[in-house]
Tab-separated table of all heavy atoms in Angstrom:
chain	number	residue	atom	x	y	z
A	310	SER	N	83.542	95.389	89.567
A	310	SER	CA	84.638	95.790	90.444
A	310	SER	C	85.562	94.612	90.686
A	310	SER	O	85.181	93.454	90.490
A	310	SER	CB	84.092	96.311	91.776
A	310	SER	OG	83.388	95.287	92.456
A	311	LEU	N	86.757	94.933	91.106
A	311	LEU	CA	87.752	93.913	91.444
A	311	LEU	C	88.389	94.320	92.767
A	311	LEU	O	89.129	95.298	92.814
A	311	LEU	CB	88.809	93.784	90.351
A	311	LEU	CG	89.825	92.668	90.560
A	311	LEU	CD1	89.147	91.304	90.390
A	311	LEU	CD2	90.989	92.797	89.574
A	312	GLN	N	88.062	93.603	93.816
A	312	GLN	CA	88.665	93.825	95.112
A	312	GLN	C	89.926	92.979	95.202
A	312	GLN	O	89.851	91.757	95.070
A	312	GLN	CB	87.698	93.456	96.242
A	312	GLN	CG	88.275	93.618	97.631
A	312	GLN	CD	88.569	95.071	97.965
A	312	GLN	OE1	87.793	95.956	97.651
A	312	GLN	NE2	89.708	95.305	98.603
A	313	MET	N	91.046	93.634	95.401
A	313	MET	CA	92.330	92.949	95.412
A	313	MET	C	92.934	93.051	96.804
A	313	MET	O	93.249	94.152	97.266
A	313	MET	CB	93.262	93.565	94.370
A	313	MET	CG	92.679	93.584	92.967
A	313	MET	SD	93.823	94.224	91.722
A	313	MET	CE	93.925	95.938	92.227
A	314	ASN	N	93.078	91.913	97.453
A	314	ASN	CA	93.650	91.850	98.791
A	314	ASN	C	94.966	91.075	98.772
A	314	ASN	O	95.253	90.356	97.808
A	314	ASN	CB	92.679	91.169	99.754
A	314	ASN	CG	91.372	91.933	99.896
A	314	ASN	OD1	91.332	93.156	99.810
A	314	ASN	ND2	90.286	91.206	100.116
A	315	SER	N	95.718	91.220	99.830
A	315	SER	CA	97.002	90.510	99.955
A	315	SER	C	97.838	90.666	98.688
A	315	SER	O	98.379	89.697	98.152
A	315	SER	CB	96.752	89.026	100.244
A	315	SER	OG	95.990	88.848	101.411
A	316	LEU	N	97.958	91.879	98.238
A	316	LEU	CA	98.656	92.140	96.984
A	316	LEU	C	100.141	91.813	97.085
A	316	LEU	O	100.770	91.994	98.138
A	316	LEU	CB	98.462	93.594	96.570
A	316	LEU	CG	97.082	93.881	95.945
A	316	LEU	CD1	96.766	95.375	95.982
A	316	LEU	CD2	97.042	93.366	94.518
A	317	LYS	N	100.663	91.333	95.979
A	317	LYS	CA	102.064	90.934	95.885
A	317	LYS	C	102.747	91.776	94.810
A	317	LYS	O	102.095	92.270	93.890
A	317	LYS	CB	102.154	89.461	95.505
A	317	LYS	CG	101.420	88.509	96.429
A	317	LYS	CD	101.490	87.093	95.902
A	317	LYS	CE	100.731	86.119	96.803
A	317	LYS	NZ	100.790	84.716	96.277
A	318	PRO	N	104.061	91.912	94.884
A	318	PRO	CA	104.767	92.666	93.840
A	318	PRO	C	104.477	92.134	92.432
A	318	PRO	O	104.421	92.917	91.479
A	318	PRO	CB	106.239	92.475	94.220
A	318	PRO	CG	106.205	92.317	95.705
A	318	PRO	CD	104.959	91.537	95.982
A	319	GLU	N	104.271	90.834	92.312
A	319	GLU	CA	103.992	90.268	90.996
A	319	GLU	C	102.602	90.603	90.474
A	319	GLU	O	102.269	90.275	89.332
A	319	GLU	CB	104.185	88.737	91.011
A	319	GLU	CG	103.463	88.012	92.124
A	319	GLU	CD	104.368	87.742	93.324
A	319	GLU	OE1	105.146	88.654	93.708
A	319	GLU	OE2	104.275	86.628	93.874
A	320	ASP	N	101.789	91.260	91.278
A	320	ASP	CA	100.500	91.749	90.799
A	320	ASP	C	100.646	93.090	90.076
A	320	ASP	O	99.670	93.587	89.500
A	320	ASP	CB	99.523	91.911	91.960
A	320	ASP	CG	99.136	90.582	92.601
A	320	ASP	OD1	98.901	89.616	91.854
A	320	ASP	OD2	99.082	90.526	93.849
A	321	THR	N	101.824	93.660	90.136
A	321	THR	CA	102.070	94.923	89.458
A	321	THR	C	101.847	94.773	87.959
A	321	THR	O	102.429	93.896	87.323
A	321	THR	CB	103.505	95.412	89.721
A	321	THR	OG1	103.658	95.688	91.119
A	321	THR	CG2	103.809	96.664	88.914
A	322	ALA	N	100.983	95.614	87.416
A	322	ALA	CA	100.632	95.531	85.998
A	322	ALA	C	99.670	96.663	85.661
A	322	ALA	O	99.174	97.364	86.547
A	322	ALA	CB	99.970	94.194	85.681
A	323	VAL	N	99.405	96.803	84.381
A	323	VAL	CA	98.302	97.648	83.937
A	323	VAL	C	97.070	96.755	83.842
A	323	VAL	O	97.107	95.709	83.182
A	323	VAL	CB	98.596	98.301	82.576
A	323	VAL	CG1	97.394	99.115	82.116
A	323	VAL	CG2	99.831	99.188	82.674
A	324	TYR	N	96.012	97.162	84.500
A	324	TYR	CA	94.791	96.367	84.541
A	324	TYR	C	93.754	96.966	83.583
A	324	TYR	O	93.531	98.181	83.573
A	324	TYR	CB	94.232	96.327	85.962
A	324	TYR	CG	94.995	95.399	86.871
A	324	TYR	CD1	96.298	95.702	87.260
A	324	TYR	CD2	94.449	94.208	87.315
A	324	TYR	CE1	97.024	94.845	88.073
A	324	TYR	CE2	95.160	93.341	88.139
A	324	TYR	CZ	96.446	93.668	88.506
A	324	TYR	OH	97.161	92.804	89.313
A	325	TYR	N	93.128	96.094	82.805
A	325	TYR	CA	92.154	96.505	81.803
A	325	TYR	C	90.795	95.880	82.094
A	325	TYR	O	90.705	94.671	82.340
A	325	TYR	CB	92.601	96.076	80.407
A	325	TYR	CG	93.874	96.704	79.922
A	325	TYR	CD1	95.110	96.115	80.174
A	325	TYR	CD2	93.850	97.901	79.203
A	325	TYR	CE1	96.290	96.689	79.733
A	325	TYR	CE2	95.024	98.487	78.748
A	325	TYR	CZ	96.239	97.874	79.020
A	325	TYR	OH	97.399	98.455	78.583
A	326	CYS	N	89.776	96.697	82.015
A	326	CYS	CA	88.404	96.210	82.128
A	326	CYS	C	87.947	95.741	80.756
A	326	CYS	O	88.284	96.351	79.740
A	326	CYS	CB	87.514	97.353	82.620
A	326	CYS	SG	85.756	96.994	82.650
A	327	ILE	N	87.198	94.646	80.709
A	327	ILE	CA	86.674	94.155	79.444
A	327	ILE	C	85.182	93.846	79.574
A	327	ILE	O	84.673	93.573	80.641
A	327	ILE	CB	87.426	92.895	78.952
A	327	ILE	CG1	87.160	91.712	79.896
A	327	ILE	CG2	88.899	93.176	78.800
A	327	ILE	CD1	86.185	90.689	79.322
A	328	GLY	N	84.538	93.880	78.412
A	328	GLY	CA	83.152	93.479	78.342
A	328	GLY	C	82.901	92.828	76.997
A	328	GLY	O	83.428	93.282	75.988
A	329	THR	N	82.128	91.748	76.997
A	329	THR	CA	81.825	91.080	75.742
A	329	THR	C	80.350	91.274	75.427
A	329	THR	O	79.482	91.179	76.306
A	329	THR	CB	82.135	89.577	75.813
A	329	THR	OG1	81.269	88.958	76.761
A	329	THR	CG2	83.575	89.345	76.217
A	330	ALA	N	80.095	91.525	74.161
A	330	ALA	CA	78.725	91.746	73.719
A	330	ALA	C	78.606	91.353	72.254
A	330	ALA	O	79.388	91.816	71.431
A	330	ALA	CB	78.326	93.199	73.906
A	331	ARG	N	77.640	90.473	71.977
A	331	ARG	CA	77.352	90.072	70.592
A	331	ARG	C	78.610	89.636	69.859
A	331	ARG	O	78.853	90.029	68.708
A	331	ARG	CB	76.666	91.216	69.846
A	331	ARG	CG	75.316	91.560	70.449
A	331	ARG	CD	74.698	92.773	69.805
A	331	ARG	NE	73.402	93.092	70.396
A	331	ARG	CZ	72.717	94.191	70.140
A	331	ARG	NH1	73.194	95.085	69.310
A	331	ARG	NH2	71.553	94.398	70.712
A	332	GLY	N	79.435	88.857	70.543
A	332	GLY	CA	80.600	88.280	69.907
A	332	GLY	C	81.823	89.170	69.858
A	332	GLY	O	82.878	88.747	69.380
A	333	SER	N	81.692	90.388	70.336
A	333	SER	CA	82.835	91.311	70.326
A	333	SER	C	83.312	91.559	71.752
A	333	SER	O	82.520	91.522	72.685
A	333	SER	CB	82.443	92.643	69.680
A	333	SER	OG	82.096	92.465	68.325
A	334	THR	N	84.601	91.826	71.879
A	334	THR	CA	85.187	92.162	73.179
A	334	THR	C	85.598	93.623	73.156
A	334	THR	O	86.298	94.062	72.242
A	334	THR	CB	86.397	91.278	73.491
A	334	THR	OG1	85.976	89.914	73.541
A	334	THR	CG2	87.009	91.656	74.832
A	335	TYR	N	85.158	94.343	74.163
A	335	TYR	CA	85.478	95.760	74.288
A	335	TYR	C	86.427	95.951	75.463
A	335	TYR	O	86.321	95.276	76.489
A	335	TYR	CB	84.196	96.574	74.500
A	335	TYR	CG	83.231	96.455	73.350
A	335	TYR	CD1	82.271	95.435	73.318
A	335	TYR	CD2	83.285	97.336	72.280
A	335	TYR	CE1	81.400	95.301	72.252
A	335	TYR	CE2	82.416	97.216	71.212
A	335	TYR	CZ	81.468	96.192	71.204
A	335	TYR	OH	80.612	96.077	70.138
A	336	TRP	N	87.354	96.882	75.297
A	336	TRP	CA	88.375	97.134	76.304
A	336	TRP	C	88.277	98.565	76.816
A	336	TRP	O	88.096	99.503	76.039
A	336	TRP	CB	89.766	96.926	75.714
A	336	TRP	CG	90.021	95.512	75.285
A	336	TRP	CD1	89.660	94.928	74.101
A	336	TRP	CD2	90.701	94.503	76.038
A	336	TRP	NE1	90.052	93.613	74.085
A	336	TRP	CE2	90.704	93.324	75.248
A	336	TRP	CE3	91.297	94.469	77.300
A	336	TRP	CZ2	91.287	92.135	75.690
A	336	TRP	CZ3	91.889	93.290	77.734
A	336	TRP	CH2	91.874	92.142	76.931
A	337	GLY	N	88.420	98.694	78.121
A	337	GLY	CA	88.533	100.016	78.702
A	337	GLY	C	89.978	100.474	78.691
A	337	GLY	O	90.874	99.734	78.280
A	338	GLN	N	90.207	101.685	79.155
A	338	GLN	CA	91.586	102.157	79.247
A	338	GLN	C	92.253	101.440	80.420
A	338	GLN	O	91.601	101.005	81.333
A	338	GLN	CB	91.620	103.684	79.439
A	338	GLN	CG	91.580	104.170	80.879
A	338	GLN	CD	90.228	104.084	81.531
A	338	GLN	OE1	89.298	103.491	81.008
A	338	GLN	NE2	90.123	104.668	82.712
A	339	GLY	N	93.506	101.283	80.372
A	339	GLY	CA	94.219	100.603	81.444
A	339	GLY	C	94.389	101.486	82.668
A	339	GLY	O	94.397	102.714	82.577
A	340	THR	N	94.517	100.839	83.810
A	340	THR	CA	94.815	101.555	85.041
A	340	THR	C	95.984	100.846	85.720
A	340	THR	O	95.995	99.623	85.839
A	340	THR	CB	93.590	101.646	85.962
A	340	THR	OG1	93.909	102.426	87.121
A	340	THR	CG2	93.099	100.280	86.421
A	341	GLN	N	96.965	101.629	86.137
A	341	GLN	CA	98.197	101.055	86.671
A	341	GLN	C	98.015	100.646	88.126
A	341	GLN	O	97.520	101.420	88.953
A	341	GLN	CB	99.343	102.062	86.569
A	341	GLN	CG	100.653	101.597	87.159
A	341	GLN	CD	101.319	100.502	86.334
A	341	GLN	OE1	101.381	100.598	85.112
A	341	GLN	NE2	101.814	99.467	87.006
A	342	VAL	N	98.450	99.450	88.427
A	342	VAL	CA	98.528	98.960	89.810
A	342	VAL	C	99.984	98.625	90.084
A	342	VAL	O	100.589	97.833	89.358
A	342	VAL	CB	97.651	97.715	90.025
A	342	VAL	CG1	97.912	97.109	91.402
A	342	VAL	CG2	96.176	98.073	89.875
A	343	THR	N	100.547	99.259	91.093
A	343	THR	CA	101.931	99.027	91.464
A	343	THR	C	101.988	98.577	92.916
A	343	THR	O	101.480	99.268	93.803
A	343	THR	CB	102.777	100.292	91.283
A	343	THR	OG1	102.694	100.734	89.920
A	343	THR	CG2	104.235	100.026	91.635
A	344	VAL	N	102.589	97.414	93.131
A	344	VAL	CA	102.732	96.869	94.480
A	344	VAL	C	104.221	96.894	94.825
A	344	VAL	O	105.011	96.142	94.264
A	344	VAL	CB	102.188	95.441	94.575
A	344	VAL	CG1	102.258	94.947	96.027
A	344	VAL	CG2	100.763	95.379	94.053
């Protein structure tokens, strides 16, 4: 999880979850955060 406090307009972005396993990086679908 990612708890985001004191959010700023510059935090606006699509956020992606990642996980690394056995030398590979896996990406989740993005989720939009708009401040």
Side-chain angles (χ1 to χ4, degrees):
S310 63
L311 185 70
Q312 178 66 41
M313 305 183 292
N314 298 328
S315 302
L316 282 161
K317 304 176 181 180
E319 51 263 42
D320 293 318
T321 296
V323 177
Y324 284 69
Y325 297 89
C326 174
I327 67 105
T329 65
R331 297 174 180 171
S333 296
T334 299
Y335 299 89
W336 296 83
Q338 89 284 10
T340 183
Q341 177 71 45
V342 172
T343 302
V344 184

